[in-house]
């Protein structure tokens, strides 16, 4: 919460901007919100395929680095699925 003095100072700054550059103020007021990130299905499937291949390779070779990389890819793929599902749900309604 801002103090009374801080609010007055902010109002003075806003007024200065409105007088100095009205086009900038208008661009801020009419700016559209950025579209949410929704990964394309192709990238999600690609991440899934790489994750599965890395899990198979890590289980065959028993390499610690490959196991770690496979777990990271599985986490990435799962995150992409969650983000995509949430975005598609928000778009639907």
């Amino acid at each position: 919460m801002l103090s009374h003095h801080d609010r007055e100072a902010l109002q003075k700054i806003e007024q200065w901007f409105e007088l100095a550059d009205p086009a900038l103020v208008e661009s801020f007021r009419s700016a559209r919100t950025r579209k949410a990130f929704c990964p394309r299905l192709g990238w999600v499937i690609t991440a899934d395929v790489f994750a599965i291949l890395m899990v198979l390779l890590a289980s065959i070779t028993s390499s610690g680095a490959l196991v770690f990389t496979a777990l990271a890819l599985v986490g990435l793929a799962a995150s992409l699925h969650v983000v995509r599902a949430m975005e598609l749900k928000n778009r639907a309604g």
Side-chain angles (χ1 to χ4, degrees), residues 18-32:
E18 288 173 354
L19 294 174
D21 196 354
L24 177 67
V25 173
E26 184 59 33
S27 70
F28 280 123
R29 288 186 179 151
S30 66
R32 292 178 286 181

Side-chain angles (χ1 to χ4, degrees), residues 51-71:
I52 291 168
L53 290 175
M54 286 301 291
V55 167
L56 291 174
L57 187 62
S59 64
I60 291 170
T61 61
S62 299
S63 169
L66 286 178
V67 169
F68 177 76
T69 305
L71 289 175

Side-chain angles (χ1 to χ4, degrees), residues 18-93:
E18 288 173 354
L19 294 174
D21 196 354
L24 177 67
V25 173
E26 184 59 33
S27 70
F28 280 123
R29 288 186 179 151
S30 66
R32 292 178 286 181
T33 57
R34 190 173 150 198
K35 288 172 62 176
F37 173 73
C38 183
R40 293 180 183 234
L41 184 59
W43 288 112
V44 174
I45 292 172
T46 302
D48 289 342
V49 169
F50 277 128
I52 291 168
L53 290 175
M54 286 301 291
V55 167
L56 291 174
L57 187 62
S59 64
I60 291 170
T61 61
S62 299
S63 169
L66 286 178
V67 169
F68 177 76
T69 305
L71 289 175
L73 280 173
V74 167
L76 172 71
S79 299
L80 287 175
H81 278 282
V82 169
V83 168
R84 182 170 173 78
M86 289 175 58
E87 183 56 34
L88 292 176
K89 182 179 177 183
N90 288 340
R91 286 184 186 176

